[in-house]
Amino acid sequence: MTQYPTKIIAISFIFLAIAFVIRITGYLFGNNVALGMEAVHLIVDVAITFFILLTLKIISSNYTKKFSYGLFKLEDLISLALAILVAYTGIELFLSGYLSESKASIESGIFQAISIIPLFFAGKLKIIAGKRIKSPSLEADGKHTYTDFIEGAGVSAGLILTGIFNNYLFFIASILIAFIALLITAYSIGKESILSLLDLPKDKNISQKIRELGKNIKGIKDIKEIRIRWAGPVIFVEAIIEMDPFLSIDEAHPITEIFENEIKNNIEGVYSVTVHVEPVRRKNFKLLIPSKNNSITSNLDDRLAKSNYFAIVEIDDEIKYNFIENPFKEKSELAGLEFKQFLINYGITDIICKNVGEITFGLMLAYGIYCWQSNEDTIKNIVNKFLTGKVERLREPTKQSK
Ligand SMILES: [Zn+2]
Protein backbone atom coordinates (compact mmCIF):
# COMPACT_ATOMS: atom_id res chain seq x y z
CA MET A 1 0.00 0.00 0.00
CA THR A 2 1.19 3.49 -0.78
CA GLN A 3 1.77 5.71 2.18
CA TYR A 4 -0.93 8.24 2.85
CA PRO A 5 0.37 11.56 1.53
CA THR A 6 -0.35 13.52 4.72
CA LYS A 7 2.61 15.86 4.21
CA ILE A 8 1.66 16.78 0.65
CA ILE A 9 -1.91 17.55 1.70
CA ALA A 10 -0.76 19.56 4.72
CA ILE A 11 1.54 21.69 2.56
CA SER A 12 -1.26 22.32 0.08
CA PHE A 13 -3.38 23.61 2.99
CA ILE A 14 -0.57 25.95 4.00
CA PHE A 15 -0.46 27.33 0.46
CA LEU A 16 -4.22 27.90 0.53
CA ALA A 17 -3.86 29.74 3.85
CA ILE A 18 -1.16 31.99 2.38
CA ALA A 19 -3.40 32.80 -0.60
CA PHE A 20 -6.23 33.61 1.80
CA VAL A 21 -4.11 36.02 3.86
CA ILE A 22 -2.93 37.82 0.70
CA ARG A 23 -6.49 38.26 -0.60
CA ILE A 24 -7.91 39.44 2.74
CA THR A 25 -5.06 41.95 3.02
CA GLY A 26 -5.74 43.14 -0.53
CA TYR A 27 -9.43 43.47 0.25
CA LEU A 28 -8.80 45.48 3.41
CA PHE A 29 -6.35 47.79 1.64
CA GLY A 30 -8.12 48.39 -1.64
CA ASN A 31 -11.67 47.69 -0.47
CA ASN A 32 -12.15 45.68 -3.67
CA VAL A 33 -15.24 43.47 -3.24
CA ALA A 34 -13.95 40.98 -5.80
CA LEU A 35 -10.91 40.24 -3.65
CA GLY A 36 -13.16 39.75 -0.63
CA MET A 37 -15.24 37.25 -2.59
CA GLU A 38 -12.12 35.46 -3.74
CA ALA A 39 -10.97 35.18 -0.11
CA VAL A 40 -14.29 33.64 0.96
CA HIS A 41 -14.06 31.24 -1.95
CA LEU A 42 -10.82 29.89 -0.48
CA ILE A 43 -12.54 29.12 2.85
CA VAL A 44 -15.15 27.11 0.93
CA ASP A 45 -12.36 25.31 -0.93
CA VAL A 46 -10.59 24.26 2.27
CA ALA A 47 -13.90 22.95 3.60
CA ILE A 48 -14.39 20.94 0.39
CA THR A 49 -10.94 19.35 0.66
CA PHE A 50 -11.62 18.41 4.30
CA PHE A 51 -14.90 16.85 3.21
CA ILE A 52 -13.13 14.82 0.52
CA LEU A 53 -10.48 13.56 2.94
CA LEU A 54 -13.22 12.53 5.36
CA THR A 55 -15.07 10.70 2.56
CA LEU A 56 -11.88 8.90 1.57
CA LYS A 57 -11.50 7.74 5.18
CA ILE A 58 -15.04 6.40 5.16
CA ILE A 59 -14.57 4.66 1.80
CA SER A 60 -11.47 2.84 3.01
CA SER A 61 -12.95 1.92 6.41
CA ASN A 62 -14.24 -1.49 7.40
CA TYR A 63 -17.73 -0.07 7.55
CA THR A 64 -18.03 -0.08 3.74
CA LYS A 65 -17.26 -3.81 3.62
CA LYS A 66 -20.94 -4.30 4.45
CA PHE A 67 -21.80 -3.20 0.92
CA SER A 68 -21.00 -5.57 -1.93
CA TYR A 69 -19.76 -2.78 -4.16
CA GLY A 70 -18.26 -0.60 -1.45
CA LEU A 71 -18.90 3.14 -1.45
CA PHE A 72 -16.44 3.92 -4.20
CA LYS A 73 -19.00 5.82 -6.24
CA LEU A 74 -18.99 8.52 -3.54
CA GLU A 75 -15.77 9.62 -5.18
CA ASP A 76 -17.52 10.01 -8.52
CA LEU A 77 -20.34 11.90 -6.87
CA ILE A 78 -17.84 14.32 -5.34
CA SER A 79 -16.03 14.70 -8.66
CA LEU A 80 -19.29 15.57 -10.35
CA ALA A 81 -20.03 18.16 -7.68
CA LEU A 82 -16.56 19.63 -8.20
CA ALA A 83 -17.13 19.81 -11.96
CA ILE A 84 -20.28 21.81 -11.30
CA LEU A 85 -18.35 23.99 -8.85
CA VAL A 86 -15.67 24.67 -11.45
CA ALA A 87 -18.31 25.64 -13.98
CA TYR A 88 -19.82 27.90 -11.31
CA THR A 89 -16.40 29.51 -10.78
CA GLY A 90 -16.87 30.78 -14.31
CA ILE A 91 -19.96 32.68 -13.19
CA GLU A 92 -18.05 34.00 -10.21
CA LEU A 93 -15.42 35.20 -12.61
CA PHE A 94 -17.90 37.41 -14.43
CA LEU A 95 -19.29 38.58 -11.12
CA SER A 96 -15.80 39.58 -9.94
CA GLY A 97 -15.28 41.47 -13.15
CA TYR A 98 -18.59 43.28 -12.79
CA LEU A 99 -18.03 44.17 -9.13
CA SER A 100 -14.51 45.42 -9.79
CA GLU A 101 -15.36 47.52 -12.81
CA SER A 102 -15.57 50.85 -11.06
CA LYS A 103 -12.67 50.07 -8.78
CA ALA A 104 -10.38 48.36 -11.25
CA SER A 105 -6.99 49.22 -9.91
CA ILE A 106 -3.48 48.04 -10.57
CA GLU A 107 -3.03 47.66 -6.81
CA SER A 108 -5.91 45.13 -6.39
CA GLY A 109 -4.69 43.38 -9.51
CA ILE A 110 -1.25 42.90 -7.99
CA PHE A 111 -2.67 41.51 -4.73
CA GLN A 112 -4.76 39.09 -6.78
CA ALA A 113 -1.75 38.15 -8.93
CA ILE A 114 0.38 37.34 -5.87
CA SER A 115 -2.41 35.33 -4.26
CA ILE A 116 -2.64 32.91 -7.16
CA ILE A 117 0.99 31.79 -6.86
CA PRO A 118 0.33 29.68 -3.72
CA LEU A 119 -2.92 28.51 -5.33
CA PHE A 120 -0.97 27.09 -8.22
CA PHE A 121 1.15 24.98 -5.86
CA ALA A 122 -1.81 23.97 -3.70
CA GLY A 123 -3.60 22.65 -6.79
CA LYS A 124 -0.56 20.80 -8.11
CA LEU A 125 0.10 19.17 -4.72
CA LYS A 126 -3.48 17.93 -4.41
CA ILE A 127 -3.30 16.43 -7.90
CA ILE A 128 -0.06 14.64 -6.94
CA ALA A 129 -1.61 13.37 -3.68
CA GLY A 130 -4.75 12.25 -5.53
CA LYS A 131 -2.73 10.34 -8.08
CA ARG A 132 -0.64 8.70 -5.37
CA ILE A 133 -3.60 7.27 -3.48
CA LYS A 134 -5.50 6.77 -6.76
CA SER A 135 -8.36 8.96 -5.65
CA PRO A 136 -10.21 10.56 -8.55
CA SER A 137 -12.04 12.96 -6.23
CA LEU A 138 -8.87 14.34 -4.62
CA GLU A 139 -7.38 14.67 -8.08
CA ALA A 140 -10.50 16.47 -9.29
CA ASP A 141 -10.22 18.75 -6.26
CA GLY A 142 -6.63 19.53 -7.23
CA LYS A 143 -7.80 20.39 -10.75
CA HIS A 144 -10.45 22.62 -9.21
CA THR A 145 -7.88 24.52 -7.15
CA TYR A 146 -5.81 24.75 -10.29
CA THR A 147 -8.75 26.33 -12.11
CA ASP A 148 -9.02 28.83 -9.25
CA PHE A 149 -5.49 29.75 -10.21
CA ILE A 150 -6.59 30.28 -13.82
CA GLU A 151 -9.66 32.23 -12.75
CA GLY A 152 -7.48 34.35 -10.46
CA ALA A 153 -5.04 34.96 -13.29
CA GLY A 154 -7.91 36.14 -15.50
CA VAL A 155 -9.18 38.54 -12.86
CA SER A 156 -5.74 39.94 -12.01
CA ALA A 157 -4.78 40.38 -15.66
CA GLY A 158 -8.07 42.17 -16.22
CA LEU A 159 -7.58 44.44 -13.20
CA ILE A 160 -4.00 45.34 -14.05
CA LEU A 161 -4.53 45.85 -17.79
CA THR A 162 -7.68 47.91 -17.24
CA GLY A 163 -5.77 49.97 -14.66
CA ILE A 164 -2.89 50.63 -17.06
CA PHE A 165 -4.79 51.25 -20.30
CA ASN A 166 -7.96 52.51 -18.73
CA ASN A 167 -9.89 50.35 -21.20
CA TYR A 168 -12.47 47.89 -19.91
CA LEU A 169 -12.15 45.71 -23.05
CA PHE A 170 -9.00 44.20 -21.57
CA PHE A 171 -11.02 42.99 -18.66
CA ILE A 172 -13.52 41.24 -20.89
CA ALA A 173 -10.78 39.61 -22.98
CA SER A 174 -8.88 38.27 -19.93
CA ILE A 175 -12.02 36.93 -18.36
CA LEU A 176 -13.17 35.20 -21.55
CA ILE A 177 -9.88 33.33 -21.89
CA ALA A 178 -10.06 32.18 -18.26
CA PHE A 179 -13.72 31.23 -18.69
CA ILE A 180 -12.92 28.88 -21.58
CA ALA A 181 -10.16 27.24 -19.51
CA LEU A 182 -12.65 26.67 -16.69
CA LEU A 183 -15.20 25.06 -18.96
CA ILE A 184 -12.57 22.69 -20.33
CA THR A 185 -11.60 21.64 -16.81
CA ALA A 186 -15.24 21.26 -15.75
CA TYR A 187 -15.75 18.99 -18.74
CA SER A 188 -12.69 16.86 -18.02
CA ILE A 189 -13.64 16.34 -14.36
CA GLY A 190 -17.33 15.90 -15.09
CA LYS A 191 -17.03 13.48 -17.99
CA GLU A 192 -15.17 10.77 -16.02
CA SER A 193 -17.53 10.97 -13.06
CA ILE A 194 -20.68 10.81 -15.19
CA LEU A 195 -19.35 7.77 -17.10
CA SER A 196 -18.62 6.08 -13.80
CA LEU A 197 -21.96 6.98 -12.22
CA LEU A 198 -23.86 5.68 -15.23
CA ASP A 199 -21.75 2.49 -15.51
CA LEU A 200 -20.60 3.45 -18.97
CA PRO A 201 -17.19 2.28 -20.20
CA LYS A 202 -14.35 4.61 -19.21
CA ASP A 203 -11.76 2.67 -21.13
CA LYS A 204 -12.82 0.38 -23.95
CA ASN A 205 -9.42 -1.29 -24.24
CA ILE A 206 -9.72 -3.05 -20.88
CA SER A 207 -12.41 -5.40 -22.11
CA GLN A 208 -10.20 -6.40 -25.04
CA LYS A 209 -7.23 -6.91 -22.71
CA ILE A 210 -9.29 -9.23 -20.49
CA ARG A 211 -10.37 -11.25 -23.53
CA GLU A 212 -6.73 -11.69 -24.53
CA LEU A 213 -5.85 -12.89 -21.02
CA GLY A 214 -8.68 -15.44 -21.12
CA LYS A 215 -7.72 -16.76 -24.53
CA ASN A 216 -4.35 -17.85 -23.22
CA ILE A 217 -5.79 -19.95 -20.41
CA LYS A 218 -6.12 -23.64 -21.08
CA GLY A 219 -9.63 -24.86 -20.38
CA ILE A 220 -11.45 -21.70 -21.41
CA LYS A 221 -13.10 -22.39 -24.75
CA ASP A 222 -14.57 -18.96 -25.34
CA ILE A 223 -15.29 -15.68 -23.65
CA LYS A 224 -18.90 -14.78 -24.20
CA GLU A 225 -19.11 -11.49 -22.39
CA ILE A 226 -17.06 -9.10 -20.31
CA ARG A 227 -18.86 -6.58 -18.13
CA ILE A 228 -16.90 -3.84 -16.45
CA ARG A 229 -18.06 -1.23 -13.95
CA TRP A 230 -15.94 1.62 -12.78
CA ALA A 231 -16.46 3.08 -9.32
CA GLY A 232 -14.15 5.82 -8.14
CA PRO A 233 -10.65 4.36 -8.30
CA VAL A 234 -11.67 0.71 -8.68
CA ILE A 235 -12.98 -1.64 -11.33
CA PHE A 236 -15.46 -4.50 -10.93
CA VAL A 237 -15.19 -7.19 -13.58
CA GLU A 238 -17.74 -9.84 -14.54
CA ALA A 239 -16.84 -12.42 -17.14
CA ILE A 240 -19.00 -15.06 -18.77
CA ILE A 241 -16.86 -17.86 -20.13
CA GLU A 242 -17.53 -21.09 -21.95
CA MET A 243 -15.90 -24.25 -20.74
CA ASP A 244 -15.87 -27.86 -21.64
CA PRO A 245 -19.33 -29.18 -20.64
CA PHE A 246 -17.85 -32.31 -19.11
CA LEU A 247 -15.62 -30.60 -16.61
CA SER A 248 -16.75 -31.10 -13.05
CA ILE A 249 -16.95 -28.13 -10.69
CA ASP A 250 -13.76 -29.42 -9.07
CA GLU A 251 -12.02 -29.25 -12.41
CA ALA A 252 -13.53 -25.97 -13.60
CA HIS A 253 -13.03 -23.93 -10.47
CA PRO A 254 -9.21 -23.77 -10.53
CA ILE A 255 -9.40 -22.53 -14.12
CA THR A 256 -11.74 -19.68 -13.18
CA GLU A 257 -9.37 -18.84 -10.34
CA ILE A 258 -6.42 -18.63 -12.71
CA PHE A 259 -8.45 -16.28 -14.89
CA GLU A 260 -9.41 -14.12 -11.90
CA ASN A 261 -5.79 -13.82 -10.81
CA GLU A 262 -4.60 -13.03 -14.34
CA ILE A 263 -7.11 -10.17 -14.48
CA LYS A 264 -6.17 -8.86 -11.03
CA ASN A 265 -2.43 -9.06 -11.75
CA ASN A 266 -2.52 -7.49 -15.19
CA ILE A 267 -5.15 -4.81 -14.96
CA GLU A 268 -4.74 -1.96 -12.57
CA GLY A 269 -7.44 -1.13 -10.05
CA VAL A 270 -9.43 -4.35 -10.29
CA TYR A 271 -11.29 -4.72 -6.99
CA SER A 272 -13.19 -7.91 -7.68
CA VAL A 273 -13.72 -10.41 -10.47
CA THR A 274 -16.74 -12.65 -10.88
CA VAL A 275 -16.55 -15.44 -13.42
CA HIS A 276 -19.69 -17.20 -14.63
CA VAL A 277 -19.17 -20.51 -16.36
CA GLU A 278 -21.38 -21.78 -19.13
CA PRO A 279 -20.89 -25.09 -20.87
CA VAL A 280 -19.97 -24.97 -24.54
CA ARG A 281 -22.87 -26.26 -26.54
CA ARG A 282 -21.52 -29.04 -28.72
CA LYS A 283 -23.42 -29.62 -31.92
CA ASN A 284 -21.11 -31.80 -33.96
CA PHE A 285 -19.81 -35.17 -32.91
CA LYS A 286 -17.85 -37.93 -34.51
CA LEU A 287 -18.25 -41.10 -32.49
CA LEU A 288 -16.24 -44.26 -32.58
CA ILE A 289 -18.03 -47.36 -31.32
CA PRO A 290 -16.45 -50.86 -31.39
CA SER A 291 -18.88 -53.10 -33.25
CA LYS A 292 -19.27 -56.85 -33.72
CA ASN A 293 -20.46 -56.43 -37.26
CA ASN A 294 -20.87 -53.76 -39.94
CA SER A 295 -24.46 -52.56 -39.68
CA ILE A 296 -26.43 -50.31 -37.37
CA THR A 297 -28.22 -53.32 -35.94
CA SER A 298 -24.93 -54.94 -34.99
CA ASN A 299 -24.09 -55.09 -31.33
CA LEU A 300 -21.41 -53.24 -29.46
CA ASP A 301 -18.22 -55.23 -29.15
CA ASP A 302 -17.00 -55.58 -25.55
CA ARG A 303 -13.43 -55.12 -26.67
CA LEU A 304 -12.32 -51.74 -27.92
CA ALA A 305 -8.95 -52.83 -29.25
CA LYS A 306 -9.89 -56.22 -30.59
CA SER A 307 -13.35 -55.46 -31.92
CA ASN A 308 -14.17 -56.64 -35.43
CA TYR A 309 -15.36 -53.27 -36.68
CA PHE A 310 -15.38 -49.66 -35.77
CA ALA A 311 -18.64 -47.79 -36.25
CA ILE A 312 -17.78 -44.20 -37.12
CA VAL A 313 -20.87 -42.07 -36.55
CA GLU A 314 -20.96 -38.52 -37.75
CA ILE A 315 -23.58 -36.35 -36.09
CA ASP A 316 -24.49 -32.85 -37.16
CA ASP A 317 -27.77 -31.98 -38.86
CA GLU A 318 -28.15 -35.65 -39.73
CA ILE A 319 -26.57 -38.91 -38.58
CA LYS A 320 -24.17 -40.74 -40.90
CA TYR A 321 -22.94 -44.24 -40.16
CA ASN A 322 -19.77 -45.67 -41.56
CA PHE A 323 -18.34 -49.07 -40.68
CA ILE A 324 -14.70 -49.96 -41.14
CA GLU A 325 -12.76 -53.06 -40.30
CA ASN A 326 -10.64 -52.60 -37.20
CA PRO A 327 -7.14 -52.09 -38.61
CA PHE A 328 -5.62 -52.91 -35.23
CA LYS A 329 -7.42 -56.18 -34.75
CA GLU A 330 -4.48 -58.37 -35.64
CA LYS A 331 -1.93 -56.29 -33.76
CA SER A 332 -0.67 -57.78 -30.51
CA GLU A 333 -1.97 -54.78 -28.62
CA LEU A 334 -3.57 -51.47 -29.44
CA ALA A 335 -0.51 -49.67 -30.73
CA GLY A 336 -0.73 -46.29 -28.98
CA LEU A 337 0.93 -44.12 -31.58
CA GLU A 338 -0.92 -45.61 -34.54
CA PHE A 339 -4.27 -45.53 -32.77
CA LYS A 340 -3.73 -41.90 -31.87
CA GLN A 341 -3.03 -41.07 -35.50
CA PHE A 342 -6.12 -43.03 -36.53
CA LEU A 343 -8.34 -41.01 -34.15
CA ILE A 344 -6.89 -37.74 -35.40
CA ASN A 345 -7.26 -38.70 -39.06
CA TYR A 346 -10.92 -39.55 -38.54
CA GLY A 347 -11.51 -36.48 -36.37
CA ILE A 348 -13.02 -38.60 -33.59
CA THR A 349 -14.55 -36.50 -30.78
CA ASP A 350 -16.08 -39.25 -28.62
CA ILE A 351 -15.63 -42.95 -28.05
CA ILE A 352 -18.41 -45.15 -26.67
CA CYS A 353 -17.25 -48.54 -25.41
CA LYS A 354 -17.70 -51.00 -22.60
CA ASN A 355 -14.11 -51.40 -21.53
CA VAL A 356 -11.12 -49.14 -21.90
CA GLY A 357 -7.58 -49.63 -20.66
CA GLU A 358 -5.39 -47.14 -18.90
CA ILE A 359 -3.18 -46.31 -21.88
CA THR A 360 -6.00 -45.71 -24.34
CA PHE A 361 -7.93 -43.73 -21.78
CA GLY A 362 -4.91 -41.52 -21.09
CA LEU A 363 -4.43 -41.02 -24.81
CA MET A 364 -8.00 -39.86 -25.25
CA LEU A 365 -7.75 -37.53 -22.27
CA ALA A 366 -4.61 -35.95 -23.74
CA TYR A 367 -6.33 -35.34 -27.08
CA GLY A 368 -9.60 -34.05 -25.65
CA ILE A 369 -11.62 -37.05 -26.82
CA TYR A 370 -14.53 -37.89 -24.54
CA CYS A 371 -15.05 -41.43 -23.39
CA TRP A 372 -18.48 -42.91 -22.67
CA GLN A 373 -19.55 -46.24 -21.34
CA SER A 374 -22.40 -48.35 -22.69
CA ASN A 375 -23.58 -51.90 -22.10
CA GLU A 376 -24.05 -54.21 -25.01
CA ASP A 377 -26.78 -52.96 -27.35
CA THR A 378 -27.18 -52.25 -31.04
CA ILE A 379 -25.13 -49.43 -32.52
CA LYS A 380 -28.32 -47.58 -33.45
CA ASN A 381 -29.70 -47.77 -29.92
CA ILE A 382 -26.43 -46.67 -28.41
CA VAL A 383 -26.31 -43.61 -30.66
CA ASN A 384 -29.89 -42.76 -29.68
CA LYS A 385 -29.04 -43.13 -26.01
CA PHE A 386 -26.00 -40.91 -26.51
CA LEU A 387 -28.09 -38.21 -28.15
CA THR A 388 -30.63 -38.26 -25.34
CA GLY A 389 -27.93 -38.09 -22.68
CA LYS A 390 -28.44 -41.65 -21.44
CA VAL A 391 -24.84 -42.86 -21.56
CA GLU A 392 -22.48 -42.26 -18.70
CA ARG A 393 -19.24 -40.46 -19.14
CA LEU A 394 -16.21 -42.45 -18.09
CA ARG A 395 -13.99 -40.63 -15.62
CA GLU A 396 -11.38 -43.37 -15.30
CA PRO A 397 -10.29 -46.46 -17.25
CA THR A 398 -12.37 -49.58 -16.64
CA LYS A 399 -9.33 -51.85 -16.35
CA GLN A 400 -5.79 -51.33 -15.17
CA SER A 401 -2.76 -52.15 -17.28
CA LYS A 402 -0.93 -55.18 -16.03
ZN1 LIG B 1 -12.33 27.00 -5.67
Side-chain angles (χ1 to χ4, degrees), residues 43-114:
I43 296 174
V44 175
D45 282 2
V46 169
I48 288 170
T49 308
F50 264 119
F51 176 69
I52 290 170
L53 295 175
L54 187 72
T55 311
L56 290 180
K57 272 263 174 282
I58 293 169
I59 289 173
S60 62
S61 72
N62 278 328
Y63 168 74
T64 60
K65 299 236 159 71
K66 284 200 283 189
F67 310 108
S68 356
Y69 291 102
L71 288 176
F72 299 104
K73 291 222 182 209
L74 275 180
E75 286 229 34
D76 302 307
L77 218 52
I78 292 174
S79 300
L80 182 63
L82 285 170
I84 294 167
L85 190 73
V86 167
Y88 168 76
T89 310
I91 297 168
E92 195 185 310
L93 185 64
F94 284 115
L95 219 57
S96 302
Y98 175 74
L99 291 170
S100 306
E101 190 199 352
S102 54
K103 285 187 187 131
S105 71
I106 301 173
E107 194 188 79
S108 306
I110 289 169
F111 269 109
Q112 173 76 342
I114 298 169

Side-chain angles (χ1 to χ4, degrees), residues 292-363:
K292 284 183 176 161
N293 223 316
N294 61 353
S295 86
I296 55 168
T297 51
S298 313
N299 268 12
L300 170 100
D301 201 320
D302 280 5
R303 311 154 302 171
L304 172 59
K306 302 284 181 208
S307 66
N308 296 329
Y309 289 89
F310 285 151
I312 312 267
V313 188
E314 219 180 317
I315 302 168
D316 41 49
D317 296 332
E318 47 179 353
I319 305 172
K320 273 180 254 161
Y321 292 90
N322 180 22
F323 289 83
I324 56 166
E325 253 183 275
N326 179 357
F328 305 101
K329 193 176 181 235
E330 302 308 326
K331 302 243 162 107
S332 55
E333 59 183 81
L334 198 55
L337 219 60
E338 279 180 69
F339 188 54
K340 180 201 91 180
Q341 203 50 52
F342 175 85
L343 295 175
I344 291 172
N345 289 348
Y346 275 89
I348 300 299
T349 59
D350 301 76
I351 292 178
I352 307 175
C353 57
K354 191 168 179 192
N355 297 304
V356 61
E358 217 167 21
I359 294 171
T360 315
F361 189 81
L363 200 72

Side-chain angles (χ1 to χ4, degrees), residues 19-20 23-24 26-28 31-45 88-100 112 115 119 148 151 155:
F20 175 77
R23 284 182 177 178
I24 276 291
Y27 167 67
L28 294 177
N31 201 22
N32 184 314
V33 187
L35 270 179
M37 255 175 71
E38 293 274 90
V40 172
H41 178 130
L42 289 179
I43 296 174
V44 175
D45 282 2
Y88 168 76
T89 310
I91 297 168
E92 195 185 310
L93 185 64
F94 284 115
L95 219 57
S96 302
Y98 175 74
L99 291 170
S100 306
Q112 173 76 342
S115 79
L119 271 190
D148 288 344
E151 180 250 6
V155 172

